[in-house]
Amino acid sequence: MSTTAPGRAIGAPLHRIEGPQKVTGTAPYAYEHNVENPLYLYPLHSDIARGSVKQIDASAAEALPGVIAVISHQNAPTLADTRDRELAILQSDEVAFRGQYIGAVVAETFEVARHAASLVRIPYDEEPHDATFTPDRDDLYTPSQLNAGFPTDTEEGDVDGAFSSAAVTLDETYTTPLEHNNPMEPHTTVAVWEGGDLTLYESTQGAHSVRRLISRLFGIDRDRVRVVALHVGGGFGSKGQPHANTVLAAMAAHVVEGRPIKFALTRQQMFACVGYRTPTVQRVRLGADENGRLVATSHDVVEQTSKIKEFAEQTANATRSMYATEALRTTHRLAALDVSVPSWMRAPGEAPGMYALEAAMDEMAIKCDLDPIEFRIRNEPELDAETGLPYSSRNLVACLREGAERFGWEGRDPTPRARQEGRWLVGTGVASGMYPIFRIPGSKVRIRSQEDGRYAVEIGAVDIGTGTWTALTQIAADALEVSVGEIDLRIGDTDLPSASVAGGSSGITAWGSTIFEAARAFRDRHGQNPSAGDTVEAGMPDNPDTQNYSMHAFAAYFAEARVHEDTGEVRVPRMTGVFAVGNVINPKTARSQFIGGMTMGLSMALHEESLLDPRFGHVVNHDFAEYHIPTNADVGEMDVTWIDEDDPYVNPMGSKGIGEIGICGSPAAVANAVYHATGIRVRDLPITPDKLLR
Ligand code: MOS
């Protein structure tokens, strides 16, 4: 399907607009932009976790034919703003974590740059470091706030009192490991500094946020920085905010002014300094009355951050509004270590937090002698417990019921280890999913009628592979009441009106609402038959309903796990996901996002774990040979569907963000199925075979 009737584009399963370009290899990713006479950058990473660089001896490297420059703190450009210590690289001899950038080699070819980098001699003054994450450290502290501005601690009612008088109680600790994002396209910058203007072809989730930060760091006018990101091969949060690799490329471009710099990280380098998911230790306490209704809930979290920059995930955020409970407490504590800076990764906070909560709910259902679906339904809240607001729409129960039907839950024998096929123990599990609707400000849209009769719809938003090119075209068509063939969408460039980051599953809400606003302004001013060249620009409209309603997407997940009795190998032949996400803009791309999210959930449950060696401070399994992600053979049948949900409050499209909900709750469905299969409750992810062998 390549076009639609006017006003009927939202909801149509359009093919990806850029699909033909992508499959023919002509869609330019950052590294593939044609620039003349480029140079190649290879970074120098620190080999110590704390201390200082004594000296950079580049003589052997500089003697190599083809080497143009060796950049270090001895000769790097001075930054105008050094407050962000992750980004303010090469400003002193200090080393704050292993893998930190301490320099770069620029050469005529990548191979020469890489070889020359190996010839740079760097003696250090090493100081003792501390990279050991444990929940019982005596220096844990309370951050001032969490990511996205959420409060650190919350308390409603007498949690301890309610817990001690509860008929049924659970007090367990769940842990999730350090994890790395690993988008297929590495972090990449092509930087050109010419006549005082800087152009960055960048692999990023937010072109305008890169421009804002880079112009501030270098102390140059925002108008003199252009960031282009037409196609991006995944981000998952690691490209949500610029990391030091972008600064390094811009510095090098400044040093060799006039010649473009190409810098793409290797897979191994991506484990050093582009962010990661903090490990978490989560103590969950639940108390219920004799009818299986929660009277006390507490969720206490310990995470790690870097000493040079604080990042605190909202791990217990979902717990604050997930179920009805009389008393509720959540806390977050941090250990600041000599490590690189954690950052956003695939539903930061909600993903690991929902794993712990939904595994605890499974355990608690068993203690209450209730079916886990029935236990969740009994604790369905009327209002959002945190804000006291009604939900704009909350169809978790419908998702659980629909999922139970599709998956074949009815008649399930809850006895663990009751079903066996040959040497395979077979079990099933369920979990709820939830993700908040974020409204990130800062977007603008320009609409212009073109000579060819089509409408240029312009916003500097980025498509990180999720289908934004297509979904925004559909939204624009309906907003202007024309067919999709009449829309000429332009995104991915700071020359276009500003756009908020493609993060927090917020893109379509922010950009789509703004497109609707601009379309209304355009029709008001220019009517149905505009002249070529007619233009309007509009900003993101306010949504007063955000003050009156609690807004979230919901889901239910089901998984079947088969565990081999002799080897502990876990197979997940099928998963079902049922989503309540308002109006689905494009069923085809949405389905891919749900499958992707659930695959990430499977991956979180069974595969992913970055192993940091505290003696040296680096991640040792820093490649796809040892950092496991599921391949096709690991993923069984993914049954994905969604319910009809009409939510008139969220935004003009009636849509909810769908990027991250797929990983919120799905890991617990797998873990709960493994318990049902084996009778072994593994509370520390990932569930590797060793943890199932007794
Ligand atoms: Mo996503 S982890 O909010 O970029």
Coordinates of all heavy atoms in Angstrom, one line a residue, residues 61-139:
A61 N 54.0 7.4 16.4 CA 52.7 7.5 15.6 C 52.8 8.6 14.6 O 52.4 8.4 13.4 CB 51.6 7.8 16.6
E62 N 53.4 9.7 15.0 CA 53.4 10.9 14.1 C 54.4 10.6 12.9 O 54.3 11.2 11.8 CB 53.9 12.2 14.8 CG 52.7 12.8 15.6 CD 53.1 13.7 16.7 OE1 54.3 13.8 17.0 OE2 52.2 14.4 17.2
A63 N 55.4 9.7 13.1 CA 56.3 9.4 12.1 C 55.7 8.6 11.0 O 56.3 8.4 9.9 CB 57.6 8.8 12.7
L64 N 54.6 8.0 11.3 CA 53.9 7.1 10.3 C 53.4 7.9 9.1 O 52.6 8.8 9.3 CB 52.8 6.3 11.0 CG 52.5 4.9 10.6 CD1 53.7 4.0 10.9 CD2 51.3 4.4 11.4
P65 N 53.7 7.4 7.9 CA 53.1 8.2 6.7 C 51.6 8.1 6.8 O 51.0 7.1 7.1 CB 53.6 7.4 5.5 CG 54.8 6.6 6.0 CD 54.6 6.3 7.5
G66 N 50.9 9.2 6.5 CA 49.5 9.3 6.5 C 48.9 9.8 7.8 O 47.7 10.1 7.9
V67 N 49.7 9.9 8.9 CA 49.2 10.4 10.1 C 49.2 12.0 10.1 O 50.2 12.6 9.7 CB 50.0 10.0 11.4 CG1 49.6 10.7 12.6 CG2 49.8 8.5 11.5
I68 N 48.0 12.6 10.3 CA 47.9 14.0 10.2 C 48.0 14.7 11.6 O 48.6 15.7 11.7 CB 46.5 14.4 9.6 CG1 46.3 13.7 8.3 CG2 46.3 15.9 9.5 CD1 47.3 14.2 7.2
A69 N 47.5 14.1 12.6 CA 47.5 14.7 13.9 C 47.3 13.7 15.0 O 46.6 12.7 14.8 CB 46.4 15.8 14.1
V70 N 47.9 13.9 16.2 CA 47.6 13.1 17.4 C 47.1 14.2 18.4 O 47.9 15.1 18.7 CB 48.9 12.4 17.9 CG1 48.5 11.7 19.2 CG2 49.4 11.4 16.9
I71 N 45.9 14.0 18.8 CA 45.3 15.0 19.7 C 45.2 14.4 21.1 O 44.9 13.2 21.3 CB 43.8 15.3 19.2 CG1 43.9 15.8 17.7 CG2 43.2 16.4 20.0 CD1 42.6 15.8 17.0
S72 N 45.5 15.3 22.1 CA 45.4 14.9 23.5 C 45.2 16.1 24.3 O 45.0 17.2 23.8 CB 46.7 14.2 23.9 OG 47.7 15.2 24.0
H73 N 45.2 15.9 25.7 CA 45.0 17.1 26.5 C 46.1 18.1 26.3 O 46.0 19.3 26.7 CB 44.9 16.7 28.0 CG 46.2 16.2 28.6 ND1 46.7 14.9 28.3 CD2 47.1 16.8 29.3 CE1 47.8 14.8 28.9 NE2 48.1 15.9 29.5
Q74 N 47.2 17.7 25.7 CA 48.4 18.6 25.5 C 48.1 19.6 24.4 O 48.7 20.7 24.4 CB 49.6 17.8 25.2 CG 50.1 16.9 26.4 CD 51.1 15.8 25.9 OE1 51.5 15.7 24.8 NE2 51.6 15.1 26.9
N75 N 47.2 19.3 23.5 CA 47.0 20.2 22.4 C 45.5 20.3 21.9 O 45.2 20.9 20.9 CB 47.9 19.7 21.2 CG 47.5 18.3 20.7 OD1 46.6 17.7 21.3 ND2 48.1 17.9 19.7
A76 N 44.6 19.8 22.7 CA 43.2 19.8 22.3 C 42.6 21.2 22.4 O 43.0 22.0 23.2 CB 42.4 18.8 23.2
P77 N 41.6 21.5 21.6 CA 40.9 22.8 21.8 C 40.3 22.9 23.2 O 39.9 21.9 23.8 CB 39.7 22.7 20.7 CG 40.1 21.6 19.8 CD 41.0 20.7 20.5
T78 N 40.3 24.1 23.7 CA 39.7 24.3 25.0 C 38.2 24.5 24.9 O 37.8 25.3 24.0 CB 40.3 25.6 25.6 OG1 41.8 25.4 25.7 CG2 39.8 25.9 27.0
L79 N 37.5 23.8 25.7 CA 36.0 23.9 25.6 C 35.5 25.0 26.4 O 36.1 25.4 27.5 CB 35.4 22.6 26.1 CG 35.7 21.3 25.3 CD1 35.2 20.1 26.0 CD2 35.1 21.5 23.9
A80 N 34.4 25.6 26.0 CA 33.9 26.8 26.6 C 33.1 26.4 27.9 O 32.9 27.2 28.8 CB 33.0 27.5 25.7
D81 N 32.6 25.2 27.9 CA 31.8 24.7 29.0 C 32.2 23.3 29.4 O 32.2 22.4 28.7 CB 30.3 24.7 28.6 CG 29.4 24.3 29.7 OD1 29.8 23.7 30.7 OD2 28.2 24.6 29.6
T82 N 32.8 23.2 30.7 CA 33.3 21.9 31.1 C 32.5 21.3 32.3 O 33.0 20.5 32.9 CB 34.8 22.1 31.5 OG1 34.9 23.1 32.5 CG2 35.7 22.5 30.4
R83 N 31.3 21.8 32.5 CA 30.5 21.3 33.6 C 30.1 19.9 33.5 O 30.1 19.2 34.4 CB 29.2 22.2 33.8 CG 29.5 23.5 34.4 CD 28.3 24.4 34.4 NE 27.8 24.6 33.0 CZ 26.7 25.3 32.7 NH1 25.9 25.8 33.6 NH2 26.4 25.5 31.4
D84 N 29.8 19.4 32.3 CA 29.5 18.0 32.0 C 30.8 17.3 31.9 O 31.4 17.3 30.8 CB 28.6 17.9 30.8 CG 28.1 16.5 30.6 OD1 28.9 15.5 30.9 OD2 27.0 16.3 30.1
R85 N 31.1 16.5 32.9 CA 32.5 15.9 32.9 C 32.5 14.6 32.1 O 33.6 14.1 31.9 CB 32.9 15.6 34.4 CG 33.2 17.0 35.1 CD 33.6 16.7 36.6 NE 34.8 16.0 36.7 CZ 35.2 15.2 37.7 NH1 34.3 15.1 38.7 NH2 36.3 14.6 37.7
E86 N 31.4 14.2 31.6 CA 31.4 13.1 30.6 C 31.8 13.7 29.3 O 32.6 13.0 28.6 CB 30.0 12.4 30.5 CG 30.0 11.3 29.4 CD 28.6 10.8 29.0 OE1 27.6 11.3 29.6 OE2 28.6 9.9 28.2
L87 N 31.4 14.8 29.0 CA 31.6 15.4 27.6 C 32.9 16.3 27.6 O 33.5 16.4 26.5 CB 30.4 16.3 27.2 CG 29.1 15.5 27.1 CD1 28.0 16.5 26.7 CD2 29.2 14.4 26.1
A88 N 33.3 16.8 28.7 CA 34.5 17.7 28.7 C 35.8 16.9 28.7 O 36.5 16.9 29.7 CB 34.4 18.6 29.9
I89 N 36.0 16.3 27.5 CA 37.2 15.4 27.4 C 38.4 16.2 27.0 O 38.3 17.3 26.5 CB 37.0 14.3 26.4 CG1 36.5 14.9 25.1 CG2 36.0 13.3 26.9 CD1 36.4 13.9 23.9
L90 N 39.6 15.7 27.3 CA 40.9 16.2 26.9 C 41.2 17.6 27.5 O 41.9 18.4 26.9 CB 41.1 16.2 25.4 CG 40.7 14.9 24.6 CD1 41.2 15.0 23.2 CD2 41.3 13.7 25.3
Q91 N 40.5 18.0 28.6 CA 40.7 19.3 29.2 C 41.8 19.2 30.3 O 42.2 20.3 30.8 CB 39.4 19.9 29.7 CG 38.3 20.0 28.6 CD 38.8 20.8 27.4 OE1 39.0 22.1 27.5 NE2 39.1 20.2 26.3
S92 N 42.2 18.1 30.7 CA 43.2 17.9 31.7 C 43.8 16.5 31.6 O 43.4 15.7 30.7 CB 42.6 18.1 33.1 OG 42.0 16.9 33.5
D93 N 44.8 16.3 32.4 CA 45.4 15.0 32.4 C 44.7 13.9 33.2 O 45.1 12.7 33.2 CB 46.9 15.1 32.8 CG 47.0 15.6 34.3 OD1 46.0 15.8 34.9 OD2 48.2 15.7 34.8
E94 N 43.6 14.3 33.8 CA 42.9 13.4 34.7 C 42.2 12.2 34.0 O 41.6 12.4 32.9 CB 41.8 14.2 35.5 CG 41.2 13.5 36.6 CD 39.9 14.2 37.1 OE1 39.7 15.4 36.8 OE2 39.1 13.4 37.6
V95 N 42.3 11.0 34.6 CA 41.5 9.9 34.1 C 40.5 9.5 35.2 O 40.9 9.2 36.3 CB 42.5 8.7 33.8 CG1 41.7 7.4 33.5 CG2 43.4 9.0 32.7
A96 N 39.2 9.4 34.8 CA 38.2 9.1 35.8 C 37.6 7.8 35.7 O 36.8 7.3 36.6 CB 37.1 10.2 35.6
F97 N 37.8 7.1 34.6 CA 37.3 5.7 34.4 C 38.1 5.0 33.3 O 38.6 5.7 32.4 CB 35.8 5.6 34.2 CG 35.3 6.3 32.9 CD1 35.3 5.6 31.7 CD2 34.9 7.6 33.0 CE1 34.9 6.3 30.6 CE2 34.4 8.2 31.9 CZ 34.4 7.6 30.6
R98 N 38.1 3.7 33.4 CA 38.8 3.0 32.3 C 38.0 3.1 31.0 O 36.8 2.8 31.0 CB 39.0 1.5 32.7 CG 39.6 0.7 31.6 CD 40.5 -0.4 32.1 NE 40.9 -1.1 30.9 CZ 41.8 -2.1 30.9 NH1 42.5 -2.3 32.0 NH2 42.1 -2.7 29.8
G99 N 38.8 3.4 29.9 CA 38.1 3.5 28.6 C 37.8 4.9 28.3 O 37.3 5.2 27.2
Q100 N 38.0 5.9 29.2 CA 37.7 7.3 28.9 C 38.6 7.7 27.8 O 39.8 7.3 27.7 CB 38.0 8.1 30.2 CG 37.5 9.5 30.1 CD 37.7 10.3 31.4 OE1 38.6 9.9 32.2 NE2 36.9 11.3 31.6
Y101 N 38.1 8.6 26.9 CA 38.9 9.2 25.8 C 40.0 10.0 26.4 O 39.8 10.9 27.2 CB 38.1 10.0 24.9 CG 37.1 9.2 24.1 CD1 35.7 9.6 24.2 CD2 37.4 8.1 23.3 CE1 34.7 8.8 23.6 CE2 36.4 7.4 22.7 CZ 35.1 7.7 22.8 OH 34.2 7.0 22.1
I102 N 41.3 9.7 26.0 CA 42.4 10.6 26.4 C 43.1 11.1 25.2 O 44.1 11.8 25.3 CB 43.4 9.8 27.3 CG1 43.8 8.5 26.7 CG2 42.8 9.5 28.7 CD1 44.9 7.8 27.4
G103 N 42.6 10.8 24.0 CA 43.2 11.4 22.8 C 42.6 10.7 21.6 O 41.7 9.9 21.6
A104 N 43.2 11.1 20.4 CA 42.8 10.5 19.2 C 43.9 10.7 18.1 O 44.7 11.6 18.2 CB 41.5 11.3 18.7
V105 N 43.9 9.7 17.2 CA 44.8 9.8 16.1 C 44.0 10.1 14.8 O 42.9 9.5 14.6 CB 45.6 8.5 15.8 CG1 46.5 8.7 14.6 CG2 46.5 8.3 17.0
V106 N 44.4 11.1 14.0 CA 43.7 11.4 12.8 C 44.7 11.1 11.6 O 45.8 11.5 11.6 CB 43.3 12.9 12.7 CG1 42.7 13.3 11.4 CG2 42.4 13.2 13.9
A107 N 44.2 10.3 10.7 CA 45.0 9.9 9.6 C 44.3 9.8 8.3 O 43.0 9.9 8.2 CB 45.7 8.5 9.9
E108 N 45.0 9.6 7.2 CA 44.4 9.5 5.9 C 43.5 8.3 5.7 O 42.6 8.3 4.8 CB 45.5 9.5 4.8 CG 46.3 10.8 4.7 CD 45.6 12.0 4.1 OE1 44.5 11.8 3.6 OE2 46.1 13.1 4.2
T109 N 43.8 7.2 6.4 CA 42.9 6.0 6.3 C 42.6 5.5 7.7 O 43.4 5.8 8.7 CB 43.6 4.9 5.5 OG1 44.7 4.4 6.3 CG2 44.1 5.3 4.1
F110 N 41.6 4.8 7.8 CA 41.2 4.2 9.1 C 42.3 3.3 9.6 O 42.7 3.3 10.8 CB 39.9 3.4 8.9 CG 39.5 2.6 10.2 CD1 38.9 3.3 11.3 CD2 39.7 1.3 10.3 CE1 38.6 2.6 12.4 CE2 39.4 0.5 11.4 CZ 38.9 1.2 12.5
E111 N 42.9 2.5 8.6 CA 43.9 1.5 9.0 C 45.1 2.2 9.6 O 45.7 1.7 10.6 CB 44.3 0.6 7.8 CG 43.2 -0.4 7.4 CD 42.0 0.3 6.6 OE1 42.1 1.5 6.2 OE2 41.0 -0.4 6.4
V112 N 45.6 3.2 9.0 CA 46.7 3.9 9.5 C 46.4 4.6 10.8 O 47.2 4.5 11.7 CB 47.2 5.0 8.4 CG1 48.2 6.0 9.1 CG2 47.8 4.4 7.2
A113 N 45.2 5.1 11.0 CA 44.9 5.8 12.3 C 44.9 4.7 13.4 O 45.4 4.9 14.5 CB 43.5 6.4 12.1
R114 N 44.3 3.5 13.1 CA 44.3 2.5 14.1 C 45.7 2.0 14.4 O 46.0 1.8 15.6 CB 43.4 1.3 13.5 CG 43.2 0.3 14.6 CD 42.2 -0.8 14.1 NE 41.7 -1.6 15.2 CZ 40.6 -2.3 15.2 NH1 39.8 -2.3 14.2 NH2 40.3 -3.0 16.3
H115 N 46.5 1.8 13.4 CA 47.9 1.3 13.7 C 48.6 2.4 14.5 O 49.3 2.1 15.4 CB 48.6 1.0 12.4 CG 50.0 0.5 12.6 ND1 50.3 -0.4 13.5 CD2 51.1 1.0 12.0 CE1 51.6 -0.6 13.4 NE2 52.1 0.3 12.6
A116 N 48.5 3.6 14.1 CA 49.2 4.7 14.7 C 48.8 4.8 16.2 O 49.6 5.0 17.1 CB 49.0 6.0 14.0
A117 N 47.5 4.6 16.4 CA 47.0 4.7 17.8 C 47.8 3.7 18.7 O 48.0 3.9 19.9 CB 45.5 4.5 17.9
S118 N 48.1 2.5 18.1 CA 48.7 1.5 18.9 C 50.2 1.8 19.2 O 50.8 1.2 20.0 CB 48.7 0.1 18.1 OG 49.6 0.1 17.0
L119 N 50.7 2.8 18.5 CA 52.1 3.2 18.7 C 52.3 4.4 19.7 O 53.4 4.7 20.0 CB 52.7 3.7 17.3 CG 52.7 2.6 16.2 CD1 53.3 3.2 14.9 CD2 53.5 1.4 16.6
V120 N 51.2 5.0 20.1 CA 51.2 6.1 21.0 C 51.6 5.5 22.4 O 50.9 4.6 22.9 CB 49.9 6.9 21.1 CG1 50.0 8.0 22.1 CG2 49.6 7.4 19.7
R121 N 52.6 6.0 23.0 CA 53.0 5.5 24.4 C 52.4 6.5 25.4 O 52.6 7.7 25.4 CB 54.5 5.4 24.5 CG 55.0 4.3 23.6 CD 56.5 3.9 23.8 NE 56.8 3.9 25.3 CZ 57.6 4.8 25.8 NH1 58.1 5.8 25.1 NH2 57.8 4.8 27.1
I122 N 51.7 5.9 26.4 CA 51.1 6.7 27.4 C 51.4 6.2 28.8 O 50.7 5.3 29.3 CB 49.5 6.7 27.2 CG1 49.2 7.0 25.7 CG2 48.8 7.7 28.1 CD1 47.8 6.8 25.3
P123 N 52.4 6.7 29.5 CA 52.6 6.3 30.9 C 51.6 7.1 31.8 O 51.2 8.2 31.5 CB 54.0 6.8 31.2 CG 54.4 7.8 30.1 CD 53.5 7.6 28.9
Y124 N 51.2 6.4 32.9 CA 50.2 7.0 33.8 C 50.7 7.1 35.2 O 51.6 6.4 35.6 CB 49.0 6.1 33.9 CG 48.2 5.8 32.6 CD1 48.5 4.8 31.7 CD2 47.2 6.6 32.2 CE1 47.8 4.5 30.6 CE2 46.4 6.4 31.0 CZ 46.8 5.3 30.2 OH 46.1 5.1 29.1
D125 N 50.1 8.0 35.9 CA 50.2 8.0 37.4 C 48.9 7.3 37.8 O 47.8 8.0 37.8 CB 50.3 9.4 38.0 CG 51.8 9.8 38.0 OD1 52.7 9.0 38.1 OD2 52.0 11.0 37.7
E126 N 49.0 6.1 38.3 CA 47.7 5.4 38.6 C 47.4 5.6 40.1 O 48.3 5.6 41.0 CB 47.9 3.9 38.3 CG 46.6 3.1 38.2 CD 46.8 1.7 37.7 OE1 47.9 1.4 37.2 OE2 45.8 0.9 37.8
E127 N 46.1 5.8 40.3 CA 45.6 5.9 41.7 C 44.6 4.8 42.0 O 44.0 4.2 41.0 CB 44.9 7.3 41.9 CG 45.9 8.4 41.9 CD 45.3 9.8 41.8 OE1 44.2 9.9 42.4 OE2 45.8 10.7 41.2
P128 N 44.4 4.4 43.2 CA 43.5 3.4 43.5 C 42.1 3.7 43.1 O 41.7 4.9 43.2 CB 43.5 3.2 45.1 CG 44.6 4.1 45.5 CD 45.0 5.0 44.4
H129 N 41.4 2.8 42.5 CA 40.0 3.0 42.0 C 39.0 2.1 42.8 O 39.4 1.2 43.4 CB 39.9 2.8 40.5 CG 40.1 1.4 40.1 ND1 41.3 0.9 39.8 CD2 39.2 0.4 40.0 CE1 41.1 -0.4 39.5 NE2 39.9 -0.7 39.6
D130 N 37.8 2.4 42.6 CA 36.7 1.7 43.2 C 35.6 1.4 42.2 O 34.9 2.4 41.8 CB 36.2 2.5 44.4 CG 35.1 1.7 45.2 OD1 34.7 0.6 44.7 OD2 34.6 2.3 46.2
A131 N 35.5 0.2 41.7 CA 34.5 -0.1 40.7 C 33.6 -1.3 41.1 O 33.1 -2.0 40.3 CB 35.2 -0.4 39.4
T132 N 33.5 -1.5 42.4 CA 32.8 -2.6 42.9 C 31.4 -2.2 43.4 O 31.2 -1.4 44.3 CB 33.5 -3.3 44.1 OG1 34.9 -3.6 43.7 CG2 32.8 -4.5 44.6
F133 N 30.4 -2.8 42.6 CA 29.0 -2.4 43.0 C 28.5 -3.5 43.9 O 28.4 -4.7 43.6 CB 28.2 -2.4 41.7 CG 26.7 -2.2 42.0 CD1 26.2 -1.0 42.5 CD2 25.8 -3.2 41.7 CE1 24.9 -0.8 42.7 CE2 24.4 -3.1 42.0 CZ 24.0 -1.9 42.5
T134 N 28.1 -3.0 45.1 CA 27.4 -3.9 46.1 C 26.3 -3.1 46.8 O 26.5 -1.9 46.9 CB 28.3 -4.5 47.2 OG1 28.9 -3.5 47.9 CG2 29.4 -5.4 46.6
P135 N 25.2 -3.8 47.2 CA 24.1 -3.0 47.8 C 24.4 -2.7 49.3 O 23.6 -1.9 49.9 CB 22.9 -4.0 47.7 CG 23.6 -5.3 47.6 CD 24.9 -5.2 46.9
D136 N 25.5 -3.2 49.8 CA 25.7 -3.0 51.3 C 26.9 -2.0 51.5 O 27.4 -2.0 52.6 CB 25.9 -4.3 52.0 CG 26.9 -5.2 51.3 OD1 27.5 -4.7 50.3 OD2 27.1 -6.3 51.8
R137 N 27.2 -1.3 50.5 CA 28.3 -0.3 50.7 C 27.8 0.7 51.7 O 26.7 1.1 51.8 CB 28.6 0.4 49.4 CG 29.2 -0.5 48.3 CD 29.3 0.3 47.0 NE 30.1 1.5 47.1 CZ 31.4 1.6 46.7 NH1 31.9 0.6 46.0 NH2 32.1 2.6 46.9
D138 N 28.8 1.3 52.5 CA 28.4 2.3 53.5 C 28.3 3.7 52.9 O 28.0 4.7 53.6 CB 29.3 2.2 54.7 CG 30.7 2.4 54.4 OD1 31.0 2.9 53.2 OD2 31.6 2.1 55.2
D139 N 28.6 3.9 51.6 CA 28.6 5.2 51.0 C 27.5 5.4 50.0 O 27.5 6.3 49.2 CB 29.9 5.5 50.3 CG 30.3 4.5 49.2 OD1 29.5 3.5 49.1 OD2 31.2 4.8 48.5

